[in-house]
Amino acid sequence: MKVGYIGLGAMGQGMARNLAKAGQLHGVYNRTGSKADALATELQVDAYSSPQALAAQADVILMCVSADEDVMQMVLAIAETVKPGSVVIDTSTVSSQTAQQAAKILKAKQADFLDAPVSGGVEGARQGSLAMMVGGDAMVLERVKPVLQAMTARIEHLGDTGAGQACKAVNQIMCAGINQAVTEALAFGEAQGLDMQKVIDVITGGAAGNWFLQHRGKTMTQGVFNPGFKLALHHKDLLICQHMAEQAHVACPLTDTTVQDYQQLMQQGLGDEDISALYRLKRNI
Ligand code: NAP
């Protein structure tokens, strides 16, 4: 089974490396070709100059690009050359609707599609410990599970196409609330004149401990906001969540506040910083 990977950004690089480590990666494509060339040389796999060229060779095509329109661009390109019986797996965070559209386009070419967004950050991608939320045909998932296991610690099948993305929306809404809670609490702690390294260490081990505090607490209190997860990307996700919440008549006030806060940071040119840059607003820095 030849596996190809499209989109070698912060997440894709880690996933592709873990596939290669497991002897599962055949080739890569990235829009900025130099990234694909460098990684292909490092991993001793093929570098493709177009998604069409990769799709013509691969039996399993994984991708991790940015937003809905980027996924659709890639799916349309893949559909030009995809082999019947191939499986396309999208690990980007996009809407359930986009997943359904992608599945329809590929079905017309006798190829299968799984929406398979992930959680666990760049650390999880690097370490192969991602949690993956899958929508689509369960039998197709079983076929490609050995490939996906090379980059994940947990794979959950949620239901039909789009269900993986719906689950990821739950995750993103939760992340918004956690970001608000952690940045607000740490800003408060700093204003109390506490030693924030000690505060973070002790709280991480208690009932309020969480992934975001553990992995981003110390850097944010030191004024370091390297991505991580770009806040412009989380903003994009939360707009999807707002749309879904509106349709389901569910109120998500923490999401609404976070969208506004991110917009403010993006207007200051900080969209490429990590989501922990929300701390800037809490501390006025
Ligand atoms: P990133 O570092 O900005 O990388 C984005 C990648 O997508 C790059 O390889 C980029 O190519 C490619 N790309 C974007 N638009 C494209 C297009 N129209 N055609 C072809 N390639 C395109 O982003 P990331 O952090 O890896 O995130 C990728 C996805 O994973 C997003 O949907 C994000 O929401 C999701 N995600 C991120 C995290 C995280 O912690 N970072 C965690 C879970 C999920 P170039 O190199 O040419 O720009």
Side-chain angles (χ1 to χ4, degrees), residues 150-164:
M151 46 192 232
T152 56
R154 184 184 180 100
I155 301 170
E156 198 69 52
H157 182 249
L158 276 307
D160 292 341
T161 305

Side-chain angles (χ1 to χ4, degrees), residues 187-209:
F188 168 84
E190 209 171 335
Q192 300 301 308
L194 291 167
D195 179 334
M196 294 311 290
Q197 307 304 305
K198 288 185 180 173
V199 168
I200 292 161
D201 283 341
V202 69
I203 292 180
T204 295

Side-chain angles (χ1 to χ4, degrees), residues 114 132-139 141 155-160:
L114 298 173
M132 179 173 269
M133 309 153 209
V134 185
D137 188 329
M139 302 288 282
L141 174 59
I155 301 170
E156 198 69 52
H157 182 249
L158 276 307
D160 292 341

Side-chain angles (χ1 to χ4, degrees), residues 8 10-11 30-32 35 65-66 70 73 93 230 236:
L8 304 170
M11 294 297 288
N30 192 68
R31 179 179 58 183
T32 306
K35 280 194 211 170
V65 295
S66 303
D70 307 313
Q73 266 181 30
T93 303
K230 291 176 192 163
K236 168 263 300 178

Side-chain angles (χ1 to χ4, degrees), residues 24-192:
Q24 300 262 23
L25 188 64
H26 161 77
V28 292
Y29 163 77
N30 192 68
R31 179 179 58 183
T32 306
S34 53
K35 280 194 211 170
D37 292 341
L39 194 70
T41 305
E42 178 196 320
L43 302 178
Q44 297 190 312
V45 298
D46 290 345
Y48 288 96
S49 57
S50 69
Q52 289 91 336
L54 182 145
Q57 295 299 324
D59 307 297
V60 176
I61 302 162
L62 275 144
M63 77 173 131
C64 191
V65 295
S66 303
D68 293 72
E69 57 274 21
D70 307 313
V71 169
M72 288 314 297
Q73 266 181 30
M74 287 303 96
V75 166
L76 287 168
I78 289 166
E80 288 177 29
T81 54
V82 71
K83 298 190 286 182
S86 298
V87 184
V88 179
I89 306 162
D90 180 30
T91 66
S92 326
T93 303
V94 295
S95 68
S96 301
Q97 265 176 333
T98 293
Q100 283 151 5
Q101 258 180 293
K104 201 170 159 195
I105 290 166
L106 290 163
K107 196 174 177 191
K109 304 286 176 176
Q110 287 103 49
D112 288 300
F113 176 85
L114 298 173
D115 51 304
V118 291
S119 176
V122 285
E123 291 87 346
R126 206 178 299 129
Q127 292 158 10
S129 58
L130 294 167
M132 179 173 269
M133 309 153 209
V134 185
D137 188 329
M139 302 288 282
V140 174
L141 174 59
E142 282 310 309
R143 245 166 63 209
V144 295
K145 233 180 201 170
V147 174
L148 301 179
Q149 277 163 342
M151 46 192 232
T152 56
R154 184 184 180 100
I155 301 170
E156 198 69 52
H157 182 249
L158 276 307
D160 292 341
T161 305
Q165 294 295 354
C167 181
K168 176 71 191 207
V170 174
N171 185 81
Q172 297 311 77
I173 290 170
M174 214 176 281
C175 284
I178 291 167
N179 195 357
Q180 290 290 349
V182 171
T183 52
E184 184 172 303
L186 293 186
F188 168 84
E190 209 171 335
Q192 300 301 308

